[in-house]
Amino acid sequence: MDEKDVRWEDFDKMHVIRRLKEIVGKWWNVQINFTDKKGFLRGVPEGRFFNPLNPICKAIVADTQGFSKRITTARKTTVESMNTKKPLFARSVEGFSVISVPLNVGEHFMGTVFGDGFIIKDTAEEQKTLIRSYLERNFPNQKLLLEEIEKLPVLSQKETDYLSELITLVVDEILMMHKHLDDSKSKVNELAKELGKRYGFDNMIGKSTPMQELYRLLDRVCDSDTTVLIQGENGTGKELIAKALHYNSKRKQKKFLVVNCGAFNENLLESELFGHIKGSFTGAVKDKKGLFEAANGGTLFLDEVGDTSMQMQVKLLRVLQEGTFTPVGSTEVKRSNVRVLAATNKNLVEMVKHQEFREDLYYRLNVINVVVPELRERKEDLTLLVDHFLEKFAKSSQTSKKQIDQECLEVLMNHEWPGNVRELENEVERLCVLAGDKSSVDEKSLSPRIREASKKSFPGLRVNGNLKDALEELEKQMILDGLERTGWNKSRLAKELGISRAGLITKVAKYQLEKRKPS
């Protein structure tokens, strides 16, 4: 990562940065800024120190000479930080203590997180004397500033250790998050091409471990005539899986027909599936082919099969076992060479236990079981999906493709997506519509429920209570997020976090984060 790739202006948009500033400001009244590798302030208005937290620092920043001295201090500590990977404590010309934590990507030094405006307990009196002398020389008519000296934050050795640990912990998260999002964006086009060649099952998008496992399974079963039961939450794309199986099979030249079993009552569903003859019931003014007959040689997708009645399940079992059916009102037995794919978001095993679904039909449908992963289990795919939906909207609306800014993408990544891919597609379309003529969309355009859910779900840091507990809470969440992002690859995550694999395993055990196997 080159310095030009570091988007300093986006740092303040990150939740973790805002929380860092909030906590450090509340606990110690210390202000936090960024410097690039040359020591220039970045990501703050007009190069000025952002929001000094005490009257003395505000007065110094507002003064041209004082501001120049502050810049000199920032640059000096930045240069010194280049030669160390640990937090560096120094002292400004005015007498304040400063902390500089290096931002290192691999072997490349990118700048620092710079904090100042405090005093060290062991040298408190000496520093207060220096600050008082500076104020008397440069602000002779502002006696009220002298009174503020006793109100300055004084940090003990233990508190400076906590401050160092907190900033270092967040620096690691900043770099990991920034690199992850940046890499995801830069590889979208390359991965899209790869998906088109290797993972080109209809319009399915995904490169994550769960999706690769799904592709491998579909590879093995798509050319078979075996019945497949597709299970997954609403919005995961079960019909898309069914289409992928059909259009990658030897039946692809024949029809692919779909029926939502939950959309019809029992009588209408029977007519829809098996057909009827003229006069068989009121309104049957002519013979009608059922879907089993119309899809002969092709594929019939029974969506929401868990919503069928027990009587309908008997008839489905017959056609699956024998390949025969009888249209409503007829005595003629017809044959059908149809591959049946079924889908449900219900737990058929529980339904069988409660005698709400026939056990024999369940086993007949469940010859091959395909479970579609929820979006929250494959967050690696979110950037690809967003890009796909942005392109899809641009084509349908005949407009230029819009871009999602980093803050907005971060909120999308934090959301749990109970409505899965369908919910994401609707949200992206909403963002594009609300953006109007703008080329990019930001967090403000997101649905209120997503913004609020993101705030609640974001682990962040607690601003109240015990500091050690808050740090452990952040560490636990960073490890959990990293495990989910890397598909529970501990070796890869340990490398990202800059710790040994054994150390990571110890922390995983400490926080009881072992991946739970599906029951």
Side-chain angles (χ1 to χ4, degrees):
M1 181 187 291
D2 195 3
E3 184 184 358
K4 65 178 181 293
D5 297 320
V6 181
R7 295 187 295 272
W8 301 98
E9 67 278 6
D10 288 340
F11 276 17
D12 264 335
K13 298 177 182 178
M14 291 183 178
H15 289 295
V16 69
I17 297 297
R18 294 199 296 265
R19 297 294 282 166
L20 171 66
K21 289 189 173 184
E22 179 184 350
I23 291 165
V24 173
K26 181 170 183 177
W27 280 345
W28 297 297
N29 208 29
V30 173
Q31 58 198 50
I32 298 295
N33 302 283
F34 297 101
T35 67
D36 62 20
K37 66 181 182 181
K38 295 181 180 180
F40 292 102
L41 290 171
R42 302 300 297 264
V44 292
E46 300 177 355
R48 294 259 166 178
F49 280 71
F50 183 74
N51 191 28
L53 298 180
N54 63 69
I56 297 177
C57 288
K58 288 180 180 179
I60 293 172
V61 168
D63 176 63
T64 302
Q65 184 179 8
F67 178 67
S68 177
K69 292 180 184 296
R70 275 299 176 86
I71 292 294
T72 300
T73 300
R75 291 178 183 171
K76 182 175 181 292
T77 55
T78 298
V79 171
E80 292 173 352
S81 294
M82 292 178 66
N83 301 316
T84 179
K85 293 185 178 181
K86 298 180 179 179
L88 172 73
F89 283 91
R91 187 178 295 179
S92 69
V93 175
E94 308 93 331
F96 285 101
S97 289
V98 300
I99 181 173
S100 182
V101 181
L103 287 163
N104 291 303
V105 179
E107 298 300 320
H108 300 286
F109 176 73
M110 295 298 162
T112 72
V113 176
F114 181 78
D116 73 336
F118 61 97
I119 291 172
I120 300 295
K121 185 176 181 180
D122 291 344
T123 57
E125 292 308 316
E126 176 189 349
Q127 289 183 257
K128 288 179 181 179
T129 299
L130 290 173
I131 294 170
R132 183 176 293 104
S133 176
Y134 180 86
L135 294 177
E136 288 173 344
R137 289 196 312 271
N138 294 279
F139 302 94
N141 298 320
Q142 297 188 34
K143 294 183 179 181
L144 290 178
L145 287 178
L146 297 175
E147 298 176 5
E148 296 293 333
I149 294 176
E150 295 303 321
K151 301 177 184 178
L152 291 172
V154 179
L155 275 62
S156 65
Q157 181 63 52
K158 186 175 182 180
E159 287 175 311
T160 56
D161 289 343
Y162 278 145
L163 177 61
S164 301
E165 185 178 354
L166 178 60
I167 296 179
T168 302
L169 200 61
V170 176
V171 163
D172 291 340
E173 178 69 6
I174 292 169
L175 295 175
M176 196 186 329
M177 186 186 305
H178 194 274
K179 187 176 186 303
H180 175 66
L181 294 175
D182 197 58
D183 287 349
S184 296
K185 285 183 177 180
S186 65
K187 292 181 180 178
V188 164
N189 291 332
E190 177 186 341
L191 289 169
K193 291 178 182 178
E194 179 185 341
L195 289 168
K197 294 177 182 177
R198 166 63 183 85
Y199 304 131
F201 287 104
D202 198 32
N203 290 317
M204 297 195 313
I205 302 293
K207 69 178 183 67
S208 60
T209 299
M211 289 302 288
Q212 291 187 40
E213 292 174 354
L214 177 60
Y215 297 141
R216 285 194 286 270
L217 176 59
L218 296 181
D219 260 338
R220 295 197 296 270
V221 305
C222 62
D223 241 352
S224 169
D225 287 333
T226 303
T227 305
V228 176
L229 179 62
I230 306 168
Q231 293 181 283
E233 294 182 358
N234 285 332
T236 50
K238 296 186 288 296
E239 184 173 337
L240 204 59
I241 300 296
K243 286 182 178 179
L245 286 169
H246 173 75
Y247 289 110
N248 286 276
S249 75
K250 58 190 177 184
R251 295 174 178 264
K252 62 185 176 183
Q253 301 300 327
K254 299 294 185 178
K255 290 183 178 179
F256 173 81
L257 299 180
V258 180
V259 59
N260 187 325
C261 298
F264 299 91
N265 63 37
E266 183 179 342
N267 293 331
L268 288 177
L269 181 59
E270 183 179 5
S271 172
E272 189 74 12
L273 292 174
F274 307 123
H276 63 256
I277 62 173
K278 180 180 178 180
S280 57
F281 55 85
T282 303
V285 295
K286 62 179 180 179
D287 290 355
K288 175 190 174 183
K289 283 185 179 181
L291 294 178
F292 272 98
E293 185 175 358
N296 191 41
T299 304
L300 179 59
F301 177 50
L302 304 177
D303 198 9
E304 304 300 345
V305 71
D307 291 339
T308 54
S309 67
M310 296 297 282
Q311 292 80 3
M312 178 55 63
Q313 291 171 29
V314 173
K315 296 171 183 177
L316 284 175
L317 181 62
R318 177 188 175 190
V319 72
L320 288 173
Q321 287 182 329
E322 303 174 11
T324 62
F325 64 93
T326 303
V328 177
S330 174
T331 57
E332 179 186 2
V333 177
K334 294 189 175 185
R335 301 196 66 84
S336 178
N337 175 23
V338 169
R339 184 186 190 184
V340 172
L341 308 175
T344 181
N345 62 354
K346 294 187 175 181
N347 189 329
L348 294 187
V349 174
E350 288 299 315
M351 292 182 69
V352 168
K353 288 181 181 179
H354 293 90
Q355 298 184 339
E356 296 171 345
F357 199 87
R358 291 183 62 94
E359 184 175 15
D360 47 6
L361 178 58
Y362 169 71
Y363 287 116
R364 191 65 188 81
L365 290 172
N366 195 36
V367 178
I368 300 293
N369 185 267
V370 173
V371 179
V372 189
E374 298 86 3
L375 182 54
R376 60 182 171 274
E377 296 297 327
R378 57 184 188 105
K379 287 286 187 72
E380 289 176 72
D381 296 329
L382 189 135
T383 306
L384 280 174
L385 289 163
V386 168
D387 187 78
H388 171 72
F389 294 139
L390 288 172
E391 190 168 328
K392 180 179 178 181
F393 180 84
K395 288 181 179 178
S396 65
S397 61
Q398 296 183 334
T399 58
S400 298
K401 181 180 171 183
K402 298 185 184 301
Q403 300 295 320
I404 301 283
D405 73 17
Q406 183 172 327
E407 182 179 13
C408 184
L409 182 59
E410 185 188 343
V411 176
L412 294 178
M413 290 287 281
N414 285 335
H415 188 50
E416 287 300 301
W417 300 107
N420 292 291
V421 178
R422 186 183 299 133
E423 181 187 4
L424 176 62
E425 181 174 11
N426 293 340
E427 187 64 25
V428 172
E429 181 178 352
R430 180 182 189 275
L431 288 170
C432 291
V433 171
L434 293 180
D437 296 332
K438 293 192 297 184
S439 61
S440 65
V441 293
D442 55 30
E443 182 190 11
K444 296 177 183 177
S445 300
L446 287 169
S447 299
R449 75 178 191 286
I450 291 180
R451 293 202 306 271
E452 291 304 313
S454 177
K455 291 177 183 177
K456 292 176 182 178
S457 64
F458 179 75
L461 293 164
R462 291 184 284 109
V463 297
N464 295 309
N466 184 276
L467 177 57
K468 183 175 181 295
D469 291 342
L471 291 173
E472 288 186 346
E473 184 180 317
L474 175 62
E475 182 178 60
K476 176 182 177 181
Q477 192 61 47
M478 283 177 63
I479 293 173
L480 178 58
D481 289 346
L483 288 169
E484 292 176 346
R485 184 180 64 256
T486 60
W488 294 78
N489 186 325
K490 295 189 177 92
S491 296
R492 176 181 161 191
L493 180 58
K495 187 176 180 180
E496 286 185 3
L497 294 176
I499 61 177
S500 67
R501 188 175 188 275
L504 177 60
I505 291 173
T506 300
K507 291 179 182 295
V508 168
K510 172 184 176 182
Y511 297 124
Q512 299 180 337
L513 297 177
E514 285 295 344
K515 186 176 183 181
R516 296 182 178 88
K517 296 182 179 179
S519 56

